[in-house]
Amino acid sequence: NRALAVFGSLHSYAIGIGAIEDRQSPAKGIERFKEVSRERFLTPEELQRLGSALLKAETLGIEWQVKAPRKTQKHLPKMRTSTIIDPGAAAALRLLILTGCRLREVLRLEWSQINFHAGMITLPDSKTGRKQVFLNQPAIALLDDLDRMSAFVFPGRDLKTPRHDLKRPWAA
């Protein structure tokens, strides 16, 4: 199915730039395989483990092993053996879990888009267009506990832009 989609797209592009003449796509009429959508939710046990890991990551830190130095190694390994993630990153990860929003929807979230009285977030331009996300009590409590230092709920380093990503905290 993906190969047919790519081939059809390439065919349309080639017609658009004039590389080939306009004719019916060779991919047209080929029967596609039936696709089954996959939807999976975390089990209560998985949610418990994830919550415990987040709490540990923002308080004690996630431990990691220092590799033994090699003879050809130029620098000594770092002595720190744990990584502590910042509370903002942990809160963003929790909000992702509690709302089911996409990563960019949470990272670019502005305080003006949150209506605490109605218990909802209004996203003016998400991937699927204008969208409203209803907040449960834990999500409202989480947002209510955050500092309002910027227009963004999860600001970047300069406070004028949103946080860029959550790759390192999630990897930890």
Side-chain angles (χ1 to χ4, degrees):
N1 290 349
R2 302 295 173 264
L4 284 173
V6 169
F7 187 73
S9 180
L10 286 173
H11 185 263
S12 297
Y13 176 75
I15 291 171
I17 64 169
I20 61 173
E21 62 185 54
D22 190 4
R23 62 176 188 270
Q24 186 175 3
S25 171
K28 191 169 182 108
I30 297 177
E31 189 174 328
R32 296 176 187 253
F33 291 104
K34 182 180 179 184
E35 293 188 27
V36 179
S37 64
R38 297 178 201 122
E39 191 171 285
R40 183 184 179 288
F41 298 98
L42 295 177
T43 64
E45 294 81 24
E46 290 170 328
L47 279 172
Q48 175 71 32
R49 286 188 5 236
L50 183 55
S52 297
L54 280 173
L55 183 62
K56 183 178 178 184
E58 67 181 328
T59 55
L60 302 173
I62 301 293
E63 296 175 10
W64 47 276
Q65 295 291 325
V66 176
K67 294 181 181 178
R70 300 181 309 268
K71 291 181 182 178
T72 59
Q73 190 168 343
K74 291 182 180 179
H75 306 285
L76 291 173
K78 294 179 180 176
M79 299 311 297
R80 192 174 54 134
T81 59
S82 66
T83 300
I84 296 176
I85 64 173
D86 68 281
L93 289 169
R94 286 188 179 100
L95 191 62
L96 283 167
I97 294 164
L98 292 170
T99 61
C101 288
R102 292 181 172 88
L103 177 64
R104 296 287 165 233
E105 292 171 347
V106 166
L107 292 182
R108 295 178 182 155
L109 183 62
E110 296 179 23
W111 288 110
S112 62
Q113 298 169 338
I114 302 171
N115 183 341
F116 284 98
H117 298 295
M120 65 185 343
I121 297 172
T122 302
L123 301 170
D125 187 31
S126 74
K127 185 176 178 181
T128 57
R130 185 175 168 89
K131 176 178 168 180
Q132 292 188 335
V133 178
F134 294 96
L135 299 171
N136 54 24
Q137 279 305 114
I140 292 171
L142 176 101
L143 288 167
D144 201 30
D145 287 343
L146 294 175
D147 293 332
R148 290 174 173 83
M149 306 177 299
S150 165
F152 295 101
V153 177
F154 302 106
R157 291 182 190 209
D158 64 357
L159 300 179
K160 295 178 183 175
T161 59
R163 186 182 182 101
H164 182 65
D165 66 24
L166 293 172
K167 289 180 183 176
R168 286 186 180 174
W170 180 253

PDB file of all heavy atoms in Angstrom, residues 39-42 47 91-107 109 121 123 126-128 131-136 139 142:
ATOM      1  N   GLU A  39      -4.902   0.416  17.555  1.00  0.00           N
ATOM      2  CA  GLU A  39      -5.111   1.361  18.647  1.00  0.00           C
ATOM      3  C   GLU A  39      -4.801   0.620  19.931  1.00  0.00           C
ATOM      4  O   GLU A  39      -5.344  -0.445  20.203  1.00  0.00           O
ATOM      5  CB  GLU A  39      -6.561   1.842  18.640  1.00  0.00           C
ATOM      6  CG  GLU A  39      -6.782   3.003  19.562  1.00  0.00           C
ATOM      7  CD  GLU A  39      -8.159   3.598  19.364  1.00  0.00           C
ATOM      8  OE1 GLU A  39      -8.360   4.298  18.362  1.00  0.00           O
ATOM      9  OE2 GLU A  39      -9.027   3.347  20.217  1.00  0.00           O
ATOM     10  N   ARG A  40      -3.889   1.171  20.709  1.00  0.00           N
ATOM     11  CA  ARG A  40      -3.483   0.513  21.932  1.00  0.00           C
ATOM     12  C   ARG A  40      -3.423   1.544  23.044  1.00  0.00           C
ATOM     13  O   ARG A  40      -2.949   2.659  22.844  1.00  0.00           O
ATOM     14  CB  ARG A  40      -2.106  -0.122  21.748  1.00  0.00           C
ATOM     15  CG  ARG A  40      -1.633  -0.891  22.965  1.00  0.00           C
ATOM     16  CD  ARG A  40      -0.211  -1.412  22.739  1.00  0.00           C
ATOM     17  NE  ARG A  40       0.302  -2.130  23.864  1.00  0.00           N
ATOM     18  CZ  ARG A  40       0.674  -1.619  25.015  1.00  0.00           C
ATOM     19  NH1 ARG A  40       0.539  -0.333  25.234  1.00  0.00           N
ATOM     20  NH2 ARG A  40       1.160  -2.350  25.981  1.00  0.00           N
ATOM     21  N   PHE A  41      -3.894   1.172  24.192  1.00  0.00           N
ATOM     22  CA  PHE A  41      -3.839   2.026  25.371  1.00  0.00           C
ATOM     23  C   PHE A  41      -2.967   1.346  26.411  1.00  0.00           C
ATOM     24  O   PHE A  41      -2.869   0.122  26.449  1.00  0.00           O
ATOM     25  CB  PHE A  41      -5.242   2.256  25.932  1.00  0.00           C
ATOM     26  CG  PHE A  41      -6.159   2.955  24.967  1.00  0.00           C
ATOM     27  CD1 PHE A  41      -7.060   2.245  24.193  1.00  0.00           C
ATOM     28  CD2 PHE A  41      -6.110   4.334  24.823  1.00  0.00           C
ATOM     29  CE1 PHE A  41      -7.896   2.886  23.301  1.00  0.00           C
ATOM     30  CE2 PHE A  41      -6.942   4.985  23.936  1.00  0.00           C
ATOM     31  CZ  PHE A  41      -7.838   4.261  23.168  1.00  0.00           C
ATOM     32  N   LEU A  42      -2.345   2.164  27.247  1.00  0.00           N
ATOM     33  CA  LEU A  42      -1.537   1.599  28.318  1.00  0.00           C
ATOM     34  C   LEU A  42      -2.434   0.905  29.335  1.00  0.00           C
ATOM     35  O   LEU A  42      -3.518   1.388  29.657  1.00  0.00           O
ATOM     36  CB  LEU A  42      -0.730   2.699  29.007  1.00  0.00           C
ATOM     37  CG  LEU A  42       0.335   3.401  28.173  1.00  0.00           C
ATOM     38  CD1 LEU A  42       0.994   4.508  28.988  1.00  0.00           C
ATOM     39  CD2 LEU A  42       1.373   2.424  27.674  1.00  0.00           C
ATOM     40  N   LEU A  47       0.753   2.192  33.195  1.00  0.00           N
ATOM     41  CA  LEU A  47       0.603   3.572  33.658  1.00  0.00           C
ATOM     42  C   LEU A  47       1.266   3.766  35.017  1.00  0.00           C
ATOM     43  O   LEU A  47       1.907   4.792  35.262  1.00  0.00           O
ATOM     44  CB  LEU A  47      -0.877   3.949  33.740  1.00  0.00           C
ATOM     45  CG  LEU A  47      -1.539   4.357  32.433  1.00  0.00           C
ATOM     46  CD1 LEU A  47      -3.043   4.503  32.623  1.00  0.00           C
ATOM     47  CD2 LEU A  47      -0.949   5.653  31.921  1.00  0.00           C
ATOM     48  N   ALA A  91       6.200  17.350  33.594  1.00  0.00           N
ATOM     49  CA  ALA A  91       4.809  17.806  33.493  1.00  0.00           C
ATOM     50  C   ALA A  91       4.297  17.675  32.063  1.00  0.00           C
ATOM     51  O   ALA A  91       3.151  17.279  31.839  1.00  0.00           O
ATOM     52  CB  ALA A  91       4.691  19.250  33.965  1.00  0.00           C
ATOM     53  N   ALA A  92       5.139  17.999  31.081  1.00  0.00           N
ATOM     54  CA  ALA A  92       4.736  17.866  29.676  1.00  0.00           C
ATOM     55  C   ALA A  92       4.468  16.402  29.336  1.00  0.00           C
ATOM     56  O   ALA A  92       3.484  16.080  28.654  1.00  0.00           O
ATOM     57  CB  ALA A  92       5.811  18.441  28.760  1.00  0.00           C
ATOM     58  N   LEU A  93       5.315  15.505  29.819  1.00  0.00           N
ATOM     59  CA  LEU A  93       5.103  14.070  29.574  1.00  0.00           C
ATOM     60  C   LEU A  93       3.803  13.602  30.233  1.00  0.00           C
ATOM     61  O   LEU A  93       3.041  12.840  29.638  1.00  0.00           O
ATOM     62  CB  LEU A  93       6.292  13.258  30.095  1.00  0.00           C
ATOM     63  CG  LEU A  93       7.587  13.410  29.290  1.00  0.00           C
ATOM     64  CD1 LEU A  93       8.760  12.791  30.032  1.00  0.00           C
ATOM     65  CD2 LEU A  93       7.436  12.791  27.914  1.00  0.00           C
ATOM     66  N   ARG A  94       3.548  14.078  31.443  1.00  0.00           N
ATOM     67  CA  ARG A  94       2.301  13.705  32.117  1.00  0.00           C
ATOM     68  C   ARG A  94       1.080  14.235  31.370  1.00  0.00           C
ATOM     69  O   ARG A  94       0.073  13.544  31.241  1.00  0.00           O
ATOM     70  CB  ARG A  94       2.307  14.225  33.552  1.00  0.00           C
ATOM     71  CG  ARG A  94       3.210  13.445  34.472  1.00  0.00           C
ATOM     72  CD  ARG A  94       3.034  13.885  35.926  1.00  0.00           C
ATOM     73  NE  ARG A  94       3.891  13.095  36.785  1.00  0.00           N
ATOM     74  CZ  ARG A  94       5.064  13.508  37.247  1.00  0.00           C
ATOM     75  NH1 ARG A  94       5.503  14.729  36.966  1.00  0.00           N
ATOM     76  NH2 ARG A  94       5.793  12.730  38.008  1.00  0.00           N
ATOM     77  N   LEU A  95       1.167  15.470  30.868  1.00  0.00           N
ATOM     78  CA  LEU A  95       0.042  16.041  30.131  1.00  0.00           C
ATOM     79  C   LEU A  95      -0.209  15.269  28.831  1.00  0.00           C
ATOM     80  O   LEU A  95      -1.365  15.066  28.445  1.00  0.00           O
ATOM     81  CB  LEU A  95       0.277  17.523  29.838  1.00  0.00           C
ATOM     82  CG  LEU A  95      -0.935  18.287  29.316  1.00  0.00           C
ATOM     83  CD1 LEU A  95      -2.068  18.281  30.350  1.00  0.00           C
ATOM     84  CD2 LEU A  95      -0.567  19.712  28.951  1.00  0.00           C
ATOM     85  N   LEU A  96       0.838  14.812  28.189  1.00  0.00           N
ATOM     86  CA  LEU A  96       0.678  13.963  26.999  1.00  0.00           C
ATOM     87  C   LEU A  96      -0.100  12.696  27.345  1.00  0.00           C
ATOM     88  O   LEU A  96      -0.999  12.282  26.619  1.00  0.00           O
ATOM     89  CB  LEU A  96       2.047  13.579  26.429  1.00  0.00           C
ATOM     90  CG  LEU A  96       2.771  14.644  25.633  1.00  0.00           C
ATOM     91  CD1 LEU A  96       4.227  14.244  25.417  1.00  0.00           C
ATOM     92  CD2 LEU A  96       2.088  14.866  24.301  1.00  0.00           C
ATOM     93  N   ILE A  97       0.243  12.099  28.466  1.00  0.00           N
ATOM     94  CA  ILE A  97      -0.416  10.858  28.899  1.00  0.00           C
ATOM     95  C   ILE A  97      -1.878  11.119  29.268  1.00  0.00           C
ATOM     96  O   ILE A  97      -2.765  10.362  28.893  1.00  0.00           O
ATOM     97  CB  ILE A  97       0.336  10.249  30.101  1.00  0.00           C
ATOM     98  CG1 ILE A  97       1.734   9.803  29.676  1.00  0.00           C
ATOM     99  CG2 ILE A  97      -0.442   9.073  30.687  1.00  0.00           C
ATOM    100  CD1 ILE A  97       2.664   9.552  30.838  1.00  0.00           C
ATOM    101  N   LEU A  98      -2.124  12.215  29.984  1.00  0.00           N
ATOM    102  CA  LEU A  98      -3.476  12.488  30.478  1.00  0.00           C
ATOM    103  C   LEU A  98      -4.453  12.970  29.410  1.00  0.00           C
ATOM    104  O   LEU A  98      -5.656  12.789  29.544  1.00  0.00           O
ATOM    105  CB  LEU A  98      -3.409  13.533  31.604  1.00  0.00           C
ATOM    106  CG  LEU A  98      -2.733  13.068  32.891  1.00  0.00           C
ATOM    107  CD1 LEU A  98      -2.501  14.245  33.826  1.00  0.00           C
ATOM    108  CD2 LEU A  98      -3.557  11.986  33.570  1.00  0.00           C
ATOM    109  N   THR A  99      -3.932  13.617  28.351  1.00  0.00           N
ATOM    110  CA  THR A  99      -4.836  14.190  27.352  1.00  0.00           C
ATOM    111  C   THR A  99      -4.885  13.414  26.043  1.00  0.00           C
ATOM    112  O   THR A  99      -5.853  13.517  25.302  1.00  0.00           O
ATOM    113  CB  THR A  99      -4.442  15.635  27.015  1.00  0.00           C
ATOM    114  OG1 THR A  99      -3.115  15.640  26.480  1.00  0.00           O
ATOM    115  CG2 THR A  99      -4.534  16.523  28.227  1.00  0.00           C
ATOM    116  N   GLY A 100      -3.818  12.688  25.715  1.00  0.00           N
ATOM    117  CA  GLY A 100      -3.768  12.016  24.423  1.00  0.00           C
ATOM    118  C   GLY A 100      -3.445  12.967  23.288  1.00  0.00           C
ATOM    119  O   GLY A 100      -3.592  12.627  22.119  1.00  0.00           O
ATOM    120  N   CYS A 101      -3.011  14.169  23.613  1.00  0.00           N
ATOM    121  CA  CYS A 101      -2.642  15.154  22.578  1.00  0.00           C
ATOM    122  C   CYS A 101      -1.350  14.736  21.894  1.00  0.00           C
ATOM    123  O   CYS A 101      -0.579  13.927  22.413  1.00  0.00           O
ATOM    124  CB  CYS A 101      -2.435  16.533  23.203  1.00  0.00           C
ATOM    125  SG  CYS A 101      -3.937  17.335  23.727  1.00  0.00           S
ATOM    126  N   ARG A 102      -1.121  15.322  20.741  1.00  0.00           N
ATOM    127  CA  ARG A 102       0.139  15.120  20.036  1.00  0.00           C
ATOM    128  C   ARG A 102       1.238  15.930  20.721  1.00  0.00           C
ATOM    129  O   ARG A 102       0.964  16.919  21.413  1.00  0.00           O
ATOM    130  CB  ARG A 102       0.011  15.568  18.581  1.00  0.00           C
ATOM    131  CG  ARG A 102      -0.910  14.684  17.785  1.00  0.00           C
ATOM    132  CD  ARG A 102      -0.983  15.175  16.338  1.00  0.00           C
ATOM    133  NE  ARG A 102      -1.717  14.234  15.527  1.00  0.00           N
ATOM    134  CZ  ARG A 102      -3.028  14.253  15.352  1.00  0.00           C
ATOM    135  NH1 ARG A 102      -3.744  15.191  15.942  1.00  0.00           N
ATOM    136  NH2 ARG A 102      -3.619  13.355  14.601  1.00  0.00           N
ATOM    137  N   LEU A 103       2.481  15.528  20.484  1.00  0.00           N
ATOM    138  CA  LEU A 103       3.623  16.167  21.127  1.00  0.00           C
ATOM    139  C   LEU A 103       3.662  17.666  20.861  1.00  0.00           C
ATOM    140  O   LEU A 103       3.783  18.471  21.787  1.00  0.00           O
ATOM    141  CB  LEU A 103       4.931  15.522  20.644  1.00  0.00           C
ATOM    142  CG  LEU A 103       6.220  16.141  21.169  1.00  0.00           C
ATOM    143  CD1 LEU A 103       6.321  15.981  22.673  1.00  0.00           C
ATOM    144  CD2 LEU A 103       7.423  15.538  20.477  1.00  0.00           C
ATOM    145  N   ARG A 104       3.557  18.088  19.611  1.00  0.00           N
ATOM    146  CA  ARG A 104       3.625  19.507  19.269  1.00  0.00           C
ATOM    147  C   ARG A 104       2.436  20.286  19.833  1.00  0.00           C
ATOM    148  O   ARG A 104       2.561  21.472  20.154  1.00  0.00           O
ATOM    149  CB  ARG A 104       3.700  19.717  17.762  1.00  0.00           C
ATOM    150  CG  ARG A 104       4.938  19.150  17.149  1.00  0.00           C
ATOM    151  CD  ARG A 104       6.160  19.998  17.487  1.00  0.00           C
ATOM    152  NE  ARG A 104       7.356  19.233  17.178  1.00  0.00           N
ATOM    153  CZ  ARG A 104       8.336  19.013  18.023  1.00  0.00           C
ATOM    154  NH1 ARG A 104       8.294  19.502  19.223  1.00  0.00           N
ATOM    155  NH2 ARG A 104       9.379  18.314  17.676  1.00  0.00           N
ATOM    156  N   GLU A 105       1.287  19.641  19.964  1.00  0.00           N
ATOM    157  CA  GLU A 105       0.125  20.320  20.553  1.00  0.00           C
ATOM    158  C   GLU A 105       0.408  20.691  22.002  1.00  0.00           C
ATOM    159  O   GLU A 105       0.043  21.771  22.460  1.00  0.00           O
ATOM    160  CB  GLU A 105      -1.113  19.435  20.466  1.00  0.00           C
ATOM    161  CG  GLU A 105      -1.612  19.216  19.057  1.00  0.00           C
ATOM    162  CD  GLU A 105      -2.715  18.168  18.956  1.00  0.00           C
ATOM    163  OE1 GLU A 105      -2.942  17.419  19.933  1.00  0.00           O
ATOM    164  OE2 GLU A 105      -3.338  18.111  17.890  1.00  0.00           O
ATOM    165  N   VAL A 106       1.082  19.807  22.726  1.00  0.00           N
ATOM    166  CA  VAL A 106       1.402  20.077  24.128  1.00  0.00           C
ATOM    167  C   VAL A 106       2.555  21.066  24.237  1.00  0.00           C
ATOM    168  O   VAL A 106       2.494  22.017  25.012  1.00  0.00           O
ATOM    169  CB  VAL A 106       1.731  18.761  24.875  1.00  0.00           C
ATOM    170  CG1 VAL A 106       2.377  19.026  26.216  1.00  0.00           C
ATOM    171  CG2 VAL A 106       0.468  17.936  25.062  1.00  0.00           C
ATOM    172  N   LEU A 107       3.605  20.875  23.442  1.00  0.00           N
ATOM    173  CA  LEU A 107       4.766  21.755  23.564  1.00  0.00           C
ATOM    174  C   LEU A 107       4.466  23.186  23.141  1.00  0.00           C
ATOM    175  O   LEU A 107       5.037  24.122  23.685  1.00  0.00           O
ATOM    176  CB  LEU A 107       5.934  21.198  22.739  1.00  0.00           C
ATOM    177  CG  LEU A 107       6.540  19.895  23.255  1.00  0.00           C
ATOM    178  CD1 LEU A 107       7.716  19.482  22.392  1.00  0.00           C
ATOM    179  CD2 LEU A 107       6.950  20.004  24.709  1.00  0.00           C
ATOM    180  N   LEU A 109       1.527  24.636  23.437  1.00  0.00           N
ATOM    181  CA  LEU A 109       0.331  25.070  24.152  1.00  0.00           C
ATOM    182  C   LEU A 109       0.569  26.407  24.854  1.00  0.00           C
ATOM    183  O   LEU A 109       1.595  26.623  25.495  1.00  0.00           O
ATOM    184  CB  LEU A 109      -0.054  24.003  25.187  1.00  0.00           C
ATOM    185  CG  LEU A 109      -1.317  24.239  25.990  1.00  0.00           C
ATOM    186  CD1 LEU A 109      -2.533  24.284  25.074  1.00  0.00           C
ATOM    187  CD2 LEU A 109      -1.485  23.133  27.027  1.00  0.00           C
ATOM    188  N   ILE A 121      -9.101  22.569  26.597  1.00  0.00           N
ATOM    189  CA  ILE A 121      -8.076  23.271  25.828  1.00  0.00           C
ATOM    190  C   ILE A 121      -8.640  23.458  24.431  1.00  0.00           C
ATOM    191  O   ILE A 121      -9.181  22.521  23.842  1.00  0.00           O
ATOM    192  CB  ILE A 121      -6.777  22.442  25.747  1.00  0.00           C
ATOM    193  CG1 ILE A 121      -6.174  22.221  27.129  1.00  0.00           C
ATOM    194  CG2 ILE A 121      -5.770  23.106  24.822  1.00  0.00           C
ATOM    195  CD1 ILE A 121      -5.011  21.245  27.142  1.00  0.00           C
ATOM    196  N   LEU A 123      -7.409  24.181  20.799  1.00  0.00           N
ATOM    197  CA  LEU A 123      -6.248  24.274  19.917  1.00  0.00           C
ATOM    198  C   LEU A 123      -6.709  24.852  18.586  1.00  0.00           C
ATOM    199  O   LEU A 123      -7.468  24.206  17.860  1.00  0.00           O
ATOM    200  CB  LEU A 123      -5.625  22.890  19.718  1.00  0.00           C
ATOM    201  CG  LEU A 123      -5.148  22.193  20.999  1.00  0.00           C
ATOM    202  CD1 LEU A 123      -4.780  20.753  20.729  1.00  0.00           C
ATOM    203  CD2 LEU A 123      -3.980  22.950  21.596  1.00  0.00           C
ATOM    204  N   SER A 126      -4.442  22.516  15.066  1.00  0.00           N
ATOM    205  CA  SER A 126      -3.744  21.251  15.268  1.00  0.00           C
ATOM    206  C   SER A 126      -3.612  20.564  13.916  1.00  0.00           C
ATOM    207  O   SER A 126      -4.022  21.092  12.883  1.00  0.00           O
ATOM    208  CB  SER A 126      -4.501  20.364  16.253  1.00  0.00           C
ATOM    209  OG  SER A 126      -5.647  19.832  15.657  1.00  0.00           O
ATOM    210  N   LYS A 127      -3.060  19.382  13.915  1.00  0.00           N
ATOM    211  CA  LYS A 127      -2.866  18.646  12.660  1.00  0.00           C
ATOM    212  C   LYS A 127      -4.195  18.390  11.958  1.00  0.00           C
ATOM    213  O   LYS A 127      -4.278  18.369  10.739  1.00  0.00           O
ATOM    214  CB  LYS A 127      -2.161  17.328  12.959  1.00  0.00           C
ATOM    215  CG  LYS A 127      -1.787  16.530  11.751  1.00  0.00           C
ATOM    216  CD  LYS A 127      -1.005  15.295  12.133  1.00  0.00           C
ATOM    217  CE  LYS A 127      -0.670  14.471  10.918  1.00  0.00           C
ATOM    218  NZ  LYS A 127       0.063  13.261  11.272  1.00  0.00           N
ATOM    219  N   THR A 128      -5.247  18.221  12.737  1.00  0.00           N
ATOM    220  CA  THR A 128      -6.575  17.945  12.173  1.00  0.00           C
ATOM    221  C   THR A 128      -7.463  19.181  12.133  1.00  0.00           C
ATOM    222  O   THR A 128      -8.671  19.070  11.969  1.00  0.00           O
ATOM    223  CB  THR A 128      -7.271  16.846  12.997  1.00  0.00           C
ATOM    224  OG1 THR A 128      -7.334  17.264  14.363  1.00  0.00           O
ATOM    225  CG2 THR A 128      -6.524  15.531  12.896  1.00  0.00           C
ATOM    226  N   LYS A 131      -9.412  22.176  17.257  1.00  0.00           N
ATOM    227  CA  LYS A 131      -9.685  21.001  18.077  1.00  0.00           C
ATOM    228  C   LYS A 131      -9.882  21.418  19.527  1.00  0.00           C
ATOM    229  O   LYS A 131      -9.209  22.326  20.013  1.00  0.00           O
ATOM    230  CB  LYS A 131      -8.483  20.057  17.941  1.00  0.00           C
ATOM    231  CG  LYS A 131      -8.494  18.829  18.770  1.00  0.00           C
ATOM    232  CD  LYS A 131      -7.244  18.024  18.433  1.00  0.00           C
ATOM    233  CE  LYS A 131      -6.987  16.913  19.393  1.00  0.00           C
ATOM    234  NZ  LYS A 131      -5.781  16.157  19.059  1.00  0.00           N
ATOM    235  N   GLN A 132     -10.809  20.749  20.190  1.00  0.00           N
ATOM    236  CA  GLN A 132     -11.009  20.974  21.618  1.00  0.00           C
ATOM    237  C   GLN A 132     -10.673  19.697  22.371  1.00  0.00           C
ATOM    238  O   GLN A 132     -11.111  18.614  21.990  1.00  0.00           O
ATOM    239  CB  GLN A 132     -12.444  21.402  21.902  1.00  0.00           C
ATOM    240  CG  GLN A 132     -12.743  22.781  21.342  1.00  0.00           C
ATOM    241  CD  GLN A 132     -14.089  23.298  21.776  1.00  0.00           C
ATOM    242  OE1 GLN A 132     -14.983  22.537  22.093  1.00  0.00           O
ATOM    243  NE2 GLN A 132     -14.223  24.614  21.787  1.00  0.00           N
ATOM    244  N   VAL A 133      -9.899  19.851  23.422  1.00  0.00           N
ATOM    245  CA  VAL A 133      -9.478  18.716  24.241  1.00  0.00           C
ATOM    246  C   VAL A 133     -10.057  18.917  25.629  1.00  0.00           C
ATOM    247  O   VAL A 133      -9.823  19.949  26.272  1.00  0.00           O
ATOM    248  CB  VAL A 133      -7.933  18.636  24.321  1.00  0.00           C
ATOM    249  CG1 VAL A 133      -7.502  17.481  25.205  1.00  0.00           C
ATOM    250  CG2 VAL A 133      -7.327  18.510  22.939  1.00  0.00           C
ATOM    251  N   PHE A 134     -10.817  17.945  26.090  1.00  0.00           N
ATOM    252  CA  PHE A 134     -11.406  18.030  27.425  1.00  0.00           C
ATOM    253  C   PHE A 134     -10.403  17.525  28.449  1.00  0.00           C
ATOM    254  O   PHE A 134      -9.732  16.518  28.245  1.00  0.00           O
ATOM    255  CB  PHE A 134     -12.715  17.237  27.484  1.00  0.00           C
ATOM    256  CG  PHE A 134     -13.775  17.844  26.622  1.00  0.00           C
ATOM    257  CD1 PHE A 134     -14.002  17.374  25.335  1.00  0.00           C
ATOM    258  CD2 PHE A 134     -14.532  18.914  27.072  1.00  0.00           C
ATOM    259  CE1 PHE A 134     -14.955  17.944  24.525  1.00  0.00           C
ATOM    260  CE2 PHE A 134     -15.487  19.500  26.276  1.00  0.00           C
ATOM    261  CZ  PHE A 134     -15.706  19.015  24.994  1.00  0.00           C
ATOM    262  N   LEU A 135     -10.307  18.245  29.557  1.00  0.00           N
ATOM    263  CA  LEU A 135      -9.334  17.939  30.599  1.00  0.00           C
ATOM    264  C   LEU A 135      -9.997  17.209  31.757  1.00  0.00           C
ATOM    265  O   LEU A 135     -11.066  17.600  32.217  1.00  0.00           O
ATOM    266  CB  LEU A 135      -8.689  19.230  31.114  1.00  0.00           C
ATOM    267  CG  LEU A 135      -7.925  20.058  30.086  1.00  0.00           C
ATOM    268  CD1 LEU A 135      -7.530  21.408  30.686  1.00  0.00           C
ATOM    269  CD2 LEU A 135      -6.704  19.305  29.622  1.00  0.00           C
ATOM    270  N   ASN A 136      -9.329  16.169  32.232  1.00  0.00           N
ATOM    271  CA  ASN A 136      -9.804  15.494  33.434  1.00  0.00           C
ATOM    272  C   ASN A 136      -9.206  16.198  34.654  1.00  0.00           C
ATOM    273  O   ASN A 136      -8.380  17.107  34.517  1.00  0.00           O
ATOM    274  CB  ASN A 136      -9.454  14.001  33.392  1.00  0.00           C
ATOM    275  CG  ASN A 136      -7.977  13.754  33.158  1.00  0.00           C
ATOM    276  OD1 ASN A 136      -7.133  14.602  33.441  1.00  0.00           O
ATOM    277  ND2 ASN A 136      -7.655  12.590  32.623  1.00  0.00           N
ATOM    278  N   ALA A 139      -5.338  16.365  34.967  1.00  0.00           N
ATOM    279  CA  ALA A 139      -4.738  17.277  33.989  1.00  0.00           C
ATOM    280  C   ALA A 139      -4.928  18.729  34.425  1.00  0.00           C
ATOM    281  O   ALA A 139      -4.002  19.549  34.309  1.00  0.00           O
ATOM    282  CB  ALA A 139      -5.339  17.055  32.606  1.00  0.00           C
ATOM    283  N   LEU A 142      -2.552  19.378  37.299  1.00  0.00           N
ATOM    284  CA  LEU A 142      -1.190  19.464  36.789  1.00  0.00           C
ATOM    285  C   LEU A 142      -0.926  20.849  36.189  1.00  0.00           C
ATOM    286  O   LEU A 142       0.071  21.500  36.496  1.00  0.00           O
ATOM    287  CB  LEU A 142      -0.947  18.380  35.737  1.00  0.00           C
ATOM    288  CG  LEU A 142       0.397  18.415  35.044  1.00  0.00           C
ATOM    289  CD1 LEU A 142       1.303  17.365  35.649  1.00  0.00           C
ATOM    290  CD2 LEU A 142       0.241  18.171  33.564  1.00  0.00           C
TER     291      LEU A 142
END
